[in-house]
Amino acid sequence: MIDEPEICLHPKAQERLFNALLELSRTSQIFITTHSPYFLTNRAMENMALFICRSGENGPEVSNLAAGGLFPWSPTWGEINYLAYDMPTVDLHNELYGRLQELTEHWSIPRFDNYLVEANDFTAIWNDMFINSLRNAIISENKAIQNNRSGIITGISKVIQAYGLGVATSLYGDIPFDQAGRIEFITPEFESQSIVYEKVQILLNEAILELYLDINKPINGSDIFFNGDAEKWIKVANTLKARFFMHTKEYDLAYKYASLGIDKSSDNLVATHGEVQGNSNLYYQFFTGSRGSELTSENTKILSLLDPSSPEYRGNLKTDETARYNFYFSGNGRPNFISGYFTRSNSFPLVSFSENLLTLAESGLRTKNFYTGLSHLNEFRGYMASGGYLNNGFDTLSLKYNPYLQSDFEIGGFKNLNSVSKEDALLIEILEERYVTFFGQIEGFNDVRRTRKEEVGIKLQPNTGSLLPERFLYPQSEIDSNPNTPSPLPGFFEPTEVNQ
């Protein structure tokens, strides 16, 4: 019997303690009393009981929450606070609203799987890219130049500009570049997607040269990512160059720059999050909001690939995907925002070691040879076998990503059941790994559009209709205010230039 083991512990420490107690419970029965929602998780409820103890008119009352929870994914924070402490929080309201929507299938907005979106839906995203991110990075660069501080500061500013503009052109196609984010241009001119990609590469080249100067480091603490570490920013810039060369299918250049890119996970560029609402993981905010139940992975390819009970499960004699499945999902395709990938404080990858390794694998196979691709894929599998990008305790579970051999991909090998060439069999495996690894990231969307028309590519079947989205829509605010917005406006299912 342990009374309030969470006292004085950080939420992350509470989670680790819970996992340790869960492991001990395999051989001993453990009773815990707690006041902490952080100490509870739903991923092991089938093996434990959760009771609510409270004072009643006739003395103490005990109820089994696991047996009588309000939701299929009980227990939730809002539910616990209400049932145990008589606190009807905003969390409970959002959870109840989402559950009622699910039960009635009566939505106040269109279902996502019908792709009923309009230009107004993309205004906030456009503003984040071109105002909140790009304009601030340009101002930072200009102020550094005015104060004779060119070097690391201007290099970082240019990497951030290139990141935003590269992501924007991948999603929208033609966008402003030379005049983008500059206050003097009220109606910036749009440039073709292929030209934008070329200019993004030039911008990254300039950034790398300025970072190599290793002078004029930003003041301590002002660089929230790497605290002015030029070497880490250079690696990020090279991985970004490789990413954008993948978009344009210049695979030889992608391999060249990925070879200079991020070479360890501690150098990842990530969006950091915390325990307060304004700094929470954006996915967490969505999933726990009133519309959270609308976005799941039910009937999707990734669920069928990772679910050990699925006939399409990608696990095999050398691979066990159980930990990654539970890291992503909490059952029935629901995102794991309780203890996994989408928790409130979990950091989210922007440019990562995982991406760089898988870029080396694919581009190496395409431009070098089978053995280069296999070597880099096995390097990634070795990284995953040691925990990889999993965290929140899932990286300490039993993991199996044993190295593949050439014979596994040859005709008759267990990774080549369709009797294709060993190169095609390996490409299928690499693309599938990228698809799984980039879950929830924009690069997954880019890979699908880049490869799905090819003989070997990521093939997805929409739940509704026969078409999959090809781009973001230009926002209504830009259409109304900028006469240079492309006309006629491209549709949601119209491929961008590089994905024709």
Side-chain angles (χ1 to χ4, degrees), residues 202-214:
I202 293 171
L203 188 58
L204 285 168
N205 289 342
E206 294 173 358
I208 291 170
L209 288 174
E210 292 173 20
L211 288 163
Y212 267 122
L213 294 174
D214 202 24

Side-chain angles (χ1 to χ4, degrees), residues 173-305:
D174 299 353
I175 61 168
F177 187 92
D178 288 344
Q179 300 177 356
R182 302 183 187 278
I183 298 175
E184 62 268 29
F185 297 104
I186 300 174
T187 57
E189 295 181 356
F190 281 64
E191 302 180 46
S192 72
Q193 186 183 41
S194 58
I195 294 297
V196 172
Y197 272 123
E198 290 177 8
K199 292 185 175 182
V200 165
Q201 294 290 358
I202 293 171
L203 188 58
L204 285 168
N205 289 342
E206 294 173 358
I208 291 170
L209 288 174
E210 292 173 20
L211 288 163
Y212 267 122
L213 294 174
D214 202 24
I215 58 174
N216 292 321
K217 183 177 179 179
I219 61 173
N220 188 48
S222 60
D223 171 10
I224 63 173
F225 297 106
F226 301 126
N227 200 27
D229 189 323
E231 182 180 353
K232 292 183 178 181
W233 278 108
I234 290 169
K235 292 178 183 178
V236 167
N238 280 310
T239 296
L240 280 175
K241 286 182 68 68
R243 172 192 291 184
F244 298 137
F245 280 129
M246 292 292 285
H247 291 185
T248 56
K249 300 184 180 181
E250 297 172 88
Y251 297 120
D252 55 337
L253 292 172
Y255 187 84
K256 173 183 176 180
Y257 287 101
S259 299
L260 302 172
I262 299 173
D263 55 5
K264 54 181 179 293
S265 59
S266 59
D267 291 346
N268 287 349
L269 182 70
V270 300
T272 56
H273 299 109
E275 296 295 342
V276 297
Q277 185 65 17
N279 191 31
S280 297
N281 183 297
L282 294 179
Y283 275 113
Y284 174 88
Q285 293 183 43
F286 185 90
F287 293 141
T288 58
S290 60
R291 294 165 52 187
S293 61
E294 296 173 36
L295 187 59
T296 74
S297 294
E298 293 176 273
N299 304 317
T300 61
K301 183 178 181 70
I302 190 168
L303 193 65
S304 65
L305 290 174

Side-chain angles (χ1 to χ4, degrees), residues 306-322:
L306 293 181
D307 185 352
S309 66
S310 166
E312 298 179 47
Y313 176 54
R314 71 190 303 267
N316 51 56
L317 295 175
K318 296 185 175 183
T319 307
D320 185 349
E321 293 285 18
T322 305

